[in-house]
């Protein structure tokens, strides 16, 4: 596990229609990883395994802060690193590391800790059972979002659109994983806030989701905090 300590804490503030909804309340699992981290491939394999499970939305967020050690991550993003730092700052933590898993925005663990991950997945499956309900309808590049909530939500609750590439193989030529070809799963290509919502009334959004990449809509407490609901349209 490779760690990076935070030197400064700053405020850091997805021709026929396809339908998807969050009636099963899927668990969102974020993996913070890097092609330049020798301890990350086993965690990448863990994410690939759970990505095929019903009721799990698994997302790989490649960071850029290890690029200097010999290999520039071809999927690395400053925005992904910023999101990981935001989690750490919100929790009062002094460092970030790879590989790190974040389950439903609130539980963090080492990316290879399969036993704890299984326990969290089992527990998280029911944690959003009384949360918001998201319905997605995708027609070409148009994505319609409809959400309802049985209760008010914290002020500033985020509605986010995430896009990802389902799979890609990379031949790594330098750095700690030099000579290896690794297949990565559910590689996040964008993660953007599209609205805030207090849970009152019905939320209706018309979003752009061009291309073939799946689109995920995530409702999350500010912070970033707990993920309250999610749905994916493929």
């Amino acid at each position: 596990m490779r760690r990076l300590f935070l030197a400064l804490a700053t405020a850091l503030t997805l021709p026929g229609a396809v339908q998807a909804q969050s009636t099963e309340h899927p668990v969102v699992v974020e993996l913070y990883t890097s092609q330049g981290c020798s301890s990350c491939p086993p965690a990448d394999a863990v994410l690939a395994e759970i990505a095929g499970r019903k009721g799990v939305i698994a997302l790989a967020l490649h960071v850029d802060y290890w690029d200097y050690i010999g290999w520039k991550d071809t999927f690395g993003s400053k925005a992904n690193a910023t999101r990981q730092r935001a989690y750490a700052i919100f929790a009062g933590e002094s460092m970030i590391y790879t590989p790190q898993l974040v389950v439903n925005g609130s539980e963090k663990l080492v990316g290879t800790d399969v036993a704890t991950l299984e326990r969290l997945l089992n527990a998280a499956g029911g944690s959003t059972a009384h949360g918001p309900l998201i319905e997605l309808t995708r027609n070409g590049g148009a994505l319609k979002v409809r959400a309802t909530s049985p209760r008010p939500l914290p002020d500033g609750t985020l509605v986010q659109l995430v896009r990802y590439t389902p799979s890609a193989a990379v031949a790594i030529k330098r750095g700690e994983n030099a000579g290896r070809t690794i297949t990565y799963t559910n590689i996040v290509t964008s993660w953007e806030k599209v609205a805030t919502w207090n849970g009152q009334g019905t939320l209706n959004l018309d979003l752009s989701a061009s291309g073939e990449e799946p689109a995920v809509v995530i409702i999350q407490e500010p912070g970033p905090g707990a993920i309250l609901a999610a749905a994916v349209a493929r």
Side-chain angles (χ1 to χ4, degrees):
M1 179 174 67
R2 185 175 290 276
R3 299 171 183 261
L4 180 71
F5 286 86
L6 300 178
L8 177 65
T10 55
L12 300 170
T13 34
L14 359 232
V18 177
Q19 291 186 317
Q21 60 185 38
S22 65
T23 52
E24 296 181 355
H25 303 282
V27 181
V28 177
V29 179
E30 302 169 50
L31 171 65
Y32 291 89
T33 186
S34 172
Q35 295 169 9
C37 164
S38 61
S39 55
C40 285
D44 299 321
V46 170
L47 191 82
E49 192 280 322
I50 66 170
R53 297 188 189 182
K54 184 178 181 181
V56 174
I57 298 175
L59 302 168
L61 292 94
H62 287 244
V63 299
D64 65 346
Y65 50 79
W66 299 131
D67 287 357
Y68 75 94
I69 61 175
W71 176 255
K72 182 178 175 62
D73 192 309
T74 57
F75 308 126
S77 165
K78 183 177 181 180
N80 292 343
T82 297
R83 179 172 175 82
Q84 188 185 22
R85 287 189 180 95
Y87 272 130
I89 292 168
F90 184 65
E93 299 165 350
S94 61
M95 60 96 181
I96 54 177
Y97 63 88
T98 56
Q100 183 184 44
L101 289 167
V102 180
V103 179
N104 267 359
S106 57
E107 299 287 349
K108 306 181 190 70
L109 65 154
V110 176
T112 53
D113 187 352
V114 176
T116 301
L117 175 61
E118 292 290 355
R119 177 177 60 79
L120 291 174
L121 289 177
N122 290 333
S127 67
T128 58
H130 302 291
L133 176 66
I134 305 171
E135 297 178 0
L136 305 180
T137 303
R138 188 174 184 183
N139 192 347
L143 181 68
K144 289 186 176 294
V145 181
R146 182 180 185 275
T148 56
S149 178
R151 58 180 176 81
L153 302 179
D155 288 341
T157 292
L158 303 168
V159 184
Q160 301 160 106
L161 175 65
V162 182
R163 307 297 303 277
Y164 67 84
T165 299
S167 180
V170 178
I172 300 172
K173 299 178 180 179
R174 294 180 300 279
E176 294 184 349
N177 291 313
R180 302 185 65 173
T181 296
I182 300 174
T183 298
Y184 295 97
T185 303
N186 292 4
I187 308 141
V188 169
T189 56
S190 66
W191 192 305
E192 60 178 320
K193 182 183 82 173
V194 294
T196 57
W197 183 45
N198 61 9
Q200 298 181 15
T202 300
L203 175 72
N204 290 287
L205 297 173
D206 291 306
L207 305 177
S208 174
S210 59
E212 297 182 356
E213 290 186 334
V216 182
V217 171
I218 293 173
I219 297 176
Q220 184 171 22
E221 291 183 353
I227 289 175
L228 306 175
V232 59
R234 295 181 173 86

